[in-house]
Amino acid sequence: MKTNLTLSTPAQVETECLVVVALDRSTNKDKPEVSIETNDAAVKSAAREVISAGEASGKPFEATLIHHPAGVKAKRLLLLGGGKAKSFSAFDLRRLAGAAVRTLKSRGLRGFAFVAPQNSAQEDSVKAVVEGGFVGNFEADTYKSDRKDQRIDELTVVAAGDQNMLQQAIDTARVIGESQNFTRTLVNEPSNRMTPTMLADQAKRMAQEVGLKCEVYGTDKIIELKMGAFWSVAQGSDEPPALIILRYEPAGAPEKPVLGLVGKGITFDTGGISIKPADGMEKMKYDMAGGAAMLGAMRAIALLKPKIKVTAIVCATENMPSGKAQKPGDVQIAMSGKSIEIINTDAEGRLVLADGLFYARQLGCTHLVDAATLTGAVVVALGYVNAGIFANDDQMYERFRKAEDRAGEKFWRMPLDEEYKEVIRSGIADIVNSGGRWGGAITAAMFLKEFAEDTPWLHLDIAGTAWTEEAKPWIAKGPSGIAVRSLVEFVRDFGS
Ligand code: BES
Ligand code: MN
Ligand code: ZN
């Protein structure tokens, strides 16, 4: 999708469709008081009739299309409801831009112009519109032979202010939006088309394109490194595992900090010998979404060039039952030397991450972030709305909280009290790999904490948010690309 910037007055923009945000400025419930978010008198007057007729009320995602708007050069005017003016933010604007893309492409349009609401900071608005536009343009329909291939090819943002600053905001947003969609493309592939080897090939190809160092290790090296936890999962599959390492080391970056991004890359999770029920098992193709998020974030980082060293590690393997698979009761020695009693082979994500986190520290990472579709329990706790975040360092958490805010993604902090550790004690080894049902997202995080040790660390459990179960006005059903934007904002801030 091409992205353009124009500083013209909205009424002067020649386009298939001019999109303007309509907000409700009323303070009481009974009667909306609609305001069109532009200074342009011609656009306002073209919208007057549908507003006074009550057809446009400013309700969230309400779309009112006007053909041949009088006094406006655009062929159509789309009023897009943004809800109450009082609470309207860049978060809502991002989703509205996605909704504009989705409504207009379904009507066969290929291009349109979106007016950045004049009452909000223009740079932030322009960025939100472009990011949201890319999110809305993605479809997960690659394998449908009757797919319509309706896409928006050109998005113009109408804004006011310093041209260079605004253009820079557009360029940044485009990189972030495209990187999020890169992640979604990887996650969307079924496991027969995204084996660990294929995921590694995609990582290599991307690294080459954007200028990142990439190394991929297989079985021999994983065993040589004594990654006993990672290998215990991989040993059950006929597909070879892949340890994917990407390095971003810009000239002029300080020696420290070095940020480590560690992703869970289970390309299919059957549960292993502790096999999952058949119902819904097909969804476990997205169990590499954490790893894919790290790849997407690295792509954006390589292109945006913040002054900080970043290393990404993706532990990719299938989790399969077989004659070679590990069994409940087995004891494994992780790379760190800790012994782990496997009581549930379906708690495999924390095993591959245990070695991934430890290895990242060995490679010199001073700060760690991991992302994983780690637990069903986080879905029970937070549903599909918020992703879970855990931290052993308040300062690092605070920086991430600000980053997720700029990115328009939702994370909710969960606790890591020492008392939770009781349930992962083992009678025979240092630790068990499952703390059982209660507080399952937390005890999984407690397990990871054992391998992050005293390194400042954030853990993102994206099991409930990496896959959108139902299409929304702003996003298709399927992989969401959660965490990419927040990670990128976090790294950009860390490197400044
Ligand atoms: N990949 C799953 C977690 C998951 C569940 C992701 C639902 C996406 C949607 C993970 O490997 C898993 O199986 N976790 C178990 C852990 C349990 C055995 C301690 C779970 O959550 O049930
Ligand atoms: Mn599992
Ligand atoms: Zn899993």
Side-chain angles (χ1 to χ4, degrees), residues 264 266 268-269 276 284 287 319 346-349 373-375:
K264 169 177 175 182
I266 302 295
F268 197 80
D269 182 12
K276 287 182 182 294
M284 284 302 116
D287 213 18
N319 184 24
D346 197 11
E348 85 297 341
T373 46
L374 201 65
T375 65

Side-chain angles (χ1 to χ4, degrees), residues 6 11 24 61 64 67 108 132 147 192 205 219 313 341 343 348 408 458 461:
T6 175
D24 179 2
F61 302 111
T64 315
H67 281 259
R147 66 175 193 272
N192 64 327
R205 215 188 53 170
T219 303
I313 295 174
E341 181 188 2
I343 56 174
E348 85 297 341
L458 301 174
D461 192 339

Side-chain angles (χ1 to χ4, degrees), residues 353-372:
L353 289 174
D355 284 343
L357 288 166
F358 185 81
Y359 188 48
R361 289 167 61 211
Q362 227 180 38
L363 291 181
C365 295
T366 59
H367 293 74
L368 298 169
V369 185
D370 77 68

Side-chain angles (χ1 to χ4, degrees), residues 62-237:
E62 176 192 71
T64 315
L65 192 61
I66 303 163
H67 281 259
H68 306 298
V72 175
K73 283 203 175 144
K75 288 192 191 155
R76 304 169 184 80
L77 179 62
L78 177 69
L79 307 184
L80 204 51
K84 292 279 182 197
K86 219 174 70 193
S87 57
F88 188 75
S89 68
F91 178 89
D92 306 297
L93 180 60
R94 191 178 280 101
R95 290 188 169 182
L96 281 188
V101 164
R102 301 190 66 71
T103 334
L104 293 175
K105 73 175 173 180
S106 72
R107 293 171 199 247
L109 266 66
R110 294 285 179 172
F112 70 91
F114 196 107
V115 182
Q118 55 158 86
N119 290 316
S120 21
Q122 291 293 284
E123 269 168 68
D124 294 349
S125 297
V126 160
K127 182 158 171 288
V129 168
V130 172
E131 286 177 0
F134 275 100
V135 170
N137 215 17
F138 177 92
E139 295 293 337
D141 60 357
T142 353
Y143 296 115
K144 289 204 184 262
S145 31
D146 65 347
R147 66 175 193 272
K148 297 197 196 101
D149 282 331
Q150 287 178 322
R151 297 280 193 281
I152 295 296
D153 300 324
E154 195 165 354
L155 164 61
T156 301
V157 190
V158 189
D162 180 84
Q163 179 151 10
N164 287 335
M165 304 278 262
L166 293 172
Q167 186 59 49
Q168 207 168 43
I170 288 197
D171 295 343
T172 304
R174 144 190 291 287
V175 166
I176 295 174
E178 285 176 342
S179 299
Q180 180 176 353
N181 286 348
F182 169 70
T183 292
R184 295 166 82 191
T185 305
L186 298 176
V187 177
N188 194 43
E189 291 300 323
S191 73
N192 64 327
R193 292 167 182 275
M194 193 51 71
T195 62
T197 308
M198 294 175 195
L199 185 62
D201 288 345
Q202 289 297 320
K204 278 186 213 159
R205 215 188 53 170
M206 179 275 285
Q208 185 125 57
E209 265 172 38
V210 302
L212 288 169
K213 286 182 214 149
C214 178
E215 289 154 287
V216 175
Y217 296 130
T219 303
D220 293 349
K221 180 80 175 187
I222 290 166
I223 292 170
E224 186 194 311
L225 286 170
K226 298 197 161 63
M227 292 184 152
F230 183 4
W231 174 246
S232 78
V233 180
Q235 71 182 45
S237 173

